[in-house]
Amino acid sequence: MRSSRLGITMICLFFSNGCNDSVQVTDVTGDQNNLVEYPCLSSTEDCLNLIEIDGGIFQSYSSFHIDSLSEVKGAIITIHGHSRNADDYFDKMMSIVSGQGLKDEVMVVSPKFITLYEQSTDTDWYWNTTSWKWGLQSYTSNGNNVSTFELIDSLLARLSDKDLFPQLTDILVTGHSSGAAFVHMYSSTKQNNTFNSTNLHFSVVNNQYFLHPDSTRLLLDGSLTVIENCNVYNNWPYGLDVLSPYMESIGKENSKINFLSNKVDYFIAEFDTETGDITSGCQYEFLGNNRYEKNMNYMQYMNVVYPDNQHGFTTIPGLGHTTNTYSSSIFINYIDSIF
């Protein structure tokens, strides 16, 4: 397991209009003079945390302070899609959590992976429109860089700190579409669904990109083969060759062990069958023409090559490629089963 870098500073721009009344801190000490912190329910700037790590700034929305004493029992880290609309993902998940009566017990965090053109200051970490979802290194003007995976590690380090969150036992890391690819790949960085003795749950929603733990691929005719005439097909993030700096620090064998040791839950919408926004290339096409086909064929691959795997696939009926998959009764029941 890779530990987060030291020297993380939290700068919280948080709570004024967005969180009911005044800034208040949860009483976990027994001191009746302490105030109660109310959850932030919508993606206003009052609910934006600025996290300083290695000289750069990383933003995320969260329903409670990321660095204050809190009694929350669980957390959901929701990863945005290709549009990098972290605010919409925060609002969507907060609506679900509130609807289940969990807004005071489950903290929602929505990281924001920005591009150069979305920078607020020169110290903001940024990526290009695709590199963030593969856990690649950031760009910056200060000479340093960090992986997007490392930034999620920094969030997990805070949430699993019992001095800050003494009651928190479970964290769900979930993503939709490009965010699903992020979570799918990120699951290979942790072992046995744990981080600092905190239970991790990974859910991959409407994904089209899949990591393969070895160099074989399952073709549509059911045969296993090594892909010819496609030199990059087993490179990260499609496979475990030519790893990124962050993944290289974990190592190929450890990544494979991690990936297969974890329980990972996949959700795919029944009508997520459009082909217009499906990425082309020899490293992608063997699994099928659309997300639904790719999920079904990847499930078959995992079951054939790794029959003892803990990766489970669930179809969401009646929906296409939409974040409303999160609002389905099946996914809400999934959240209830964790928290």
Side-chain angles (χ1 to χ4, degrees):
M1 180 181 295
R2 178 185 173 93
S3 61
S4 297
R5 296 187 187 183
L6 299 178
I8 300 172
T9 302
M10 300 293 173
I11 308 170
C12 291
L13 302 181
F14 212 82
F15 301 110
S16 56
N17 298 326
C19 300
N20 295 341
D21 298 314
S22 59
V23 178
Q24 303 183 344
V25 178
T26 304
D27 178 11
V28 295
T29 66
D31 184 349
Q32 297 303 312
N33 293 322
N34 284 354
L35 298 173
V36 175
E37 180 182 5
Y38 293 108
C40 211
L41 301 179
S42 62
S43 57
T44 66
E45 288 192 3
D46 305 310
C47 309
L48 196 62
N49 289 279
L50 303 184
I51 304 171
E52 183 178 328
I53 176 171
D54 260 23
I57 300 295
F58 169 54
Q59 301 179 13
S60 65
Y61 293 97
S62 61
S63 57
F64 288 93
H65 276 282
I66 198 68
D67 62 345
S68 69
L69 208 60
S70 175
E71 284 186 319
V72 294
K73 298 176 181 179
I76 298 175
I77 300 175
T78 178
I79 309 296
H80 58 65
H82 180 74
S83 298
R84 302 176 307 286
N85 49 335
D87 52 347
D88 293 334
Y89 279 76
F90 180 79
D91 291 340
K92 168 68 74 172
M93 197 57 68
M94 277 309 306
S95 174
I96 294 167
V97 167
S98 297
Q100 295 306 106
L102 296 172
K103 63 182 176 61
D104 296 314
E105 300 177 23
V106 176
M107 177 179 180
V108 174
V109 183
S110 184
K112 188 176 182 182
F113 299 118
I114 66 171
T115 66
L116 171 63
Y117 304 105
E118 296 161 323
Q119 276 189 302
S120 299
T121 71
D122 290 340
T123 58
D124 288 342
W125 296 121
Y126 69 94
W127 295 262
N128 66 34
T129 56
T130 59
S131 63
W132 64 269
K133 64 187 172 188
W134 309 135
L136 302 187
Q137 304 303 110
S138 62
Y139 305 98
T140 184
S141 57
N142 67 7
N144 295 331
N145 55 53
V146 295
S147 162
T148 50
F149 287 174
E150 188 172 0
L151 296 182
I152 299 303
D153 285 350
S154 72
L155 290 178
L156 292 180
R158 302 299 293 185
L159 294 171
S160 60
D161 185 340
K162 296 305 179 185
D163 290 333
L164 296 175
F165 298 95
Q167 308 299 323
L168 194 148
T169 58
D170 291 88
I171 301 172
L172 169 61
V173 185
T174 185
H176 174 265
S177 196
S178 289
F182 181 99
V183 175
H184 174 67
M185 309 302 171
Y186 184 70
S187 70
S188 69
T189 72
K190 303 295 174 282
Q191 189 173 21
N192 297 323
N193 293 100
T194 59
F195 184 95
N196 292 349
S197 299
T198 301
N199 301 319
L200 295 183
H201 308 264
F202 300 105
S203 73
V204 177
V205 182
N206 294 335
N207 186 30
Q208 68 161 301
Y209 307 103
F210 293 93
L211 172 65
H212 289 72
D214 64 31
S215 59
T216 63
R217 299 294 184 268
L218 185 69
L219 301 184
L220 295 179
D221 63 6
S223 63
L224 277 173
T225 187
V226 172
I227 303 296
E228 297 180 353
N229 303 318
C230 186
N231 293 334
V232 300
Y233 87 96
N234 205 47
N235 292 353
W236 179 262
Y238 331 111
L240 292 174
D241 292 337
V242 192
L243 294 172
S244 68
Y246 179 100
M247 296 305 300
E248 189 65 44
S249 71
I250 296 174
K252 181 174 181 175
E253 289 306 313
N254 286 336
S255 299
K256 179 176 180 177
I257 291 169
N258 292 344
F259 189 66
L260 296 176
S261 77
N262 282 318
K263 184 177 186 296
V264 181
D265 297 297
Y266 301 80
F267 297 87
I268 179 64
E270 176 186 14
F271 299 130
D272 197 344
T273 55
E274 294 297 323
T275 60
D277 59 351
I278 296 298
T279 304
S280 61
C282 59
Q283 67 269 42
Y284 302 110
E285 293 170 353
F286 58 88
L287 278 177
N289 296 318
N290 58 63
R291 291 182 183 86
Y292 183 82
E293 284 184 4
K294 290 174 184 290
N295 275 262
M296 294 299 101
N297 289 328
Y298 186 73
M299 175 180 65
Q300 184 180 0
Y301 161 83
M302 291 295 290
N303 290 338
V304 168
V305 181
Y306 302 102
D308 296 328
N309 78 84
Q310 301 183 68
H311 294 220
F313 291 75
T314 301
T315 298
I316 307 295
L319 293 176
H321 191 67
T322 171
T323 57
N324 288 336
T325 308
Y326 280 135
S327 305
S328 68
S329 60
I330 290 175
F331 196 86
I332 289 174
N333 288 337
Y334 171 70
I335 290 177
D336 287 343
S337 72
I338 297 172
F339 304 110

